[in-house]
Amino acid sequence: MKKTLTLLAASLVMVSCSAEPRTLKDAFKDKFLIGVAVNQWQCSGEDSLGAATAKKHFNSIVAENVMKCEEIHPEENRYFWDDADRFVKFGEDNNMFIIGHCLVWHSQLAPWFCKDSLGNLVDAQTLRDRLRDHIHTIVGRYKGRIQGWDVVNEAIEDNGDYRNSDFYKILGEEFIPLAFQYAHEADPDAELYINDYSMNNAGKRDRYVKLVNDMKSKGIRIDAIGMQSHMGLDYPNLSDYENSLKAFASTGCKVMITELDMGALPSVNRGANVADKVAYQKELNPYPEKLPDDVSAQWNNRMDSLMNIYLRNADVISRVTAWGVSDGDSWRNDWPVRGRHEYPLFFDRNYNPKPFLHKYLNDK
Ligand code: 9MR
């Protein structure tokens, strides 16, 4: 009897010891893809620690910058492929689900794209031709290698109006379905997404639901609605956010959380409009060394609530992607205020996972 008890105790110890630390991709493998935005230094291996964390924990990548129009297609007759090729190779070498970002976006648009030689807006047919060439060339180059594309990014204002971008001024609402049509022609197997920030806003939510339903009713391929999810400690309201998630799922599209980060610093503005900048003031950068424990606890609790939202909606969410590997990589160190010390991502500046992840990783 005593021997049996001793054996039982020993095997219990073994069971608890065998709870090895896991990776994020193991932890969420039956739920959704877990992705990360990577930069050119991670893909080239120059940032070896960032690359190692991306490989270890994530099974999907998206190009943070290297496929934006001004980078990849800086002049009408010149494409620049080196960084984008390295990004795709990085994903292939590591068996990742690869997302191209982004084909049509008013920001980081190469200056020539919507203009003629005098700087005036081009006519509708010229823009259609340019869009077709741009999308066919890029999507075509990576046909069968990139599995999903952010086709149109940030086309709608928070109140639900169409953004008055040059694309909209020249082509009106038509530019969105056209971009999807061209992408589908270029790679019929690729998944196609529409993507935006501040998706918790009711105006934006309603517009996207209508827009996507219209596209679907016309037989235009669209696979997912991307909720960027650039957040702060005090925005968005998580029930508005979850309502949007459910509303998007009601279209029959998958929902993707495409650019998740959550600032821990005082929020000066919301959303993710790259153009909204605020001047540096010391009070806006209160934790240049370390996040105080109480703020860290608040941040981790909110991330935990968010993960719970994702897990309870996992049947409609196909991917959750963090917008950068570690805190040191985040664009939020420079937006909306340049030079702050932010804490928005899954991994800290030493590549340690944040506490809200410990339970998924079997860490103490
Ligand atoms: O994180 C990106 C940052 O490095 C760039 O400077 C910036 C402008 O290209 O874009 C950032 O990524 C944006 C993404 O492409 C679209 N949604 C908002 C993201 C944060 O601005």
Side-chain angles (χ1 to χ4, degrees), residues 139-153:
V139 176
R141 180 178 182 91
Y142 300 111
K143 184 170 188 273
R145 300 176 66 199
I146 285 195
Q147 287 83 31
W149 284 97
D150 288 337
V151 179
V152 173
N153 194 35

Side-chain angles (χ1 to χ4, degrees), residues 127-310:
L127 185 57
R128 281 190 209 103
D129 293 342
R130 289 183 180 181
L131 272 174
R132 187 174 180 285
D133 169 72
H134 177 76
I135 294 174
H136 271 240
T137 306
I138 299 172
V139 176
R141 180 178 182 91
Y142 300 111
K143 184 170 188 273
R145 300 176 66 199
I146 285 195
Q147 287 83 31
W149 284 97
D150 288 337
V151 179
V152 173
N153 194 35
E154 301 174 5
I156 303 296
E157 300 279 6
D158 288 355
N159 65 5
D161 289 348
Y162 277 77
R163 182 187 294 279
N164 198 22
S165 65
D166 287 349
F167 298 115
Y168 184 77
K169 285 182 195 149
I170 299 168
L171 287 171
E173 299 176 12
E174 181 198 359
F175 84 90
I176 298 179
L178 260 188
F180 279 78
Q181 179 198 317
Y182 296 148
H184 185 55
E185 288 164 6
D187 185 353
D189 294 330
E191 292 187 353
L192 306 180
Y193 320 132
I194 198 155
N195 193 47
D196 214 324
Y197 60 80
S198 297
M199 293 294 238
N200 53 295
N201 286 330
K204 225 170 198 176
R205 174 199 302 152
D206 295 348
R207 169 66 70 183
Y208 272 109
V209 168
K210 182 168 179 325
L211 198 157
V212 168
N213 281 333
D214 283 354
M215 281 173 57
K216 280 175 141 339
S217 71
K218 292 181 183 131
I220 296 166
R221 177 165 187 170
I222 174 160
D223 296 274
I225 302 178
M227 300 176 73
Q228 292 186 6
S229 310
H230 296 290
M231 303 190 175
L233 288 178
D234 57 355
Y235 70 93
N237 171 301
L238 293 187
S239 49
D240 291 345
Y241 179 79
E242 190 169 4
N243 285 342
S244 292
L245 202 161
K246 289 179 188 299
F248 296 148
S250 77
T251 64
C253 274
K254 286 290 180 197
V255 177
M256 292 183 163
I257 310 304
T258 51
E259 304 184 12
L260 177 59
D261 53 33
M262 186 190 292
L265 301 184
S267 50
V268 246
N269 57 17
R270 299 169 173 210
N273 190 1
V274 182
D276 294 343
K277 300 201 176 114
V278 173
Y280 183 89
Q281 301 159 45
K282 210 161 171 228
E283 344 31 295
L284 296 178
N285 189 28
Y287 321 123
E289 305 297 334
K290 176 181 178 295
L291 203 56
D293 290 347
D294 59 331
V295 185
S296 168
Q298 200 188 341
W299 187 91
N300 278 286
N301 283 337
R302 193 164 150 83
M303 286 301 278
D304 186 53
S305 307
L306 209 52
M307 289 313 296
N308 290 336
I309 291 178
Y310 299 152

Side-chain angles (χ1 to χ4, degrees), residues 64-65 68 70 101-102 105 107-108 153-154 195 197 228 230 259 272 274 323 331:
E64 183 176 5
N65 286 311
K68 290 174 180 173
E70 68 178 5
H101 170 92
C102 47
W105 187 27
S107 193
Q108 268 54 48
N153 194 35
E154 301 174 5
N195 193 47
Y197 60 80
Q228 292 186 6
H230 296 290
E259 304 184 12
V274 182
W323 198 245
W331 73 294

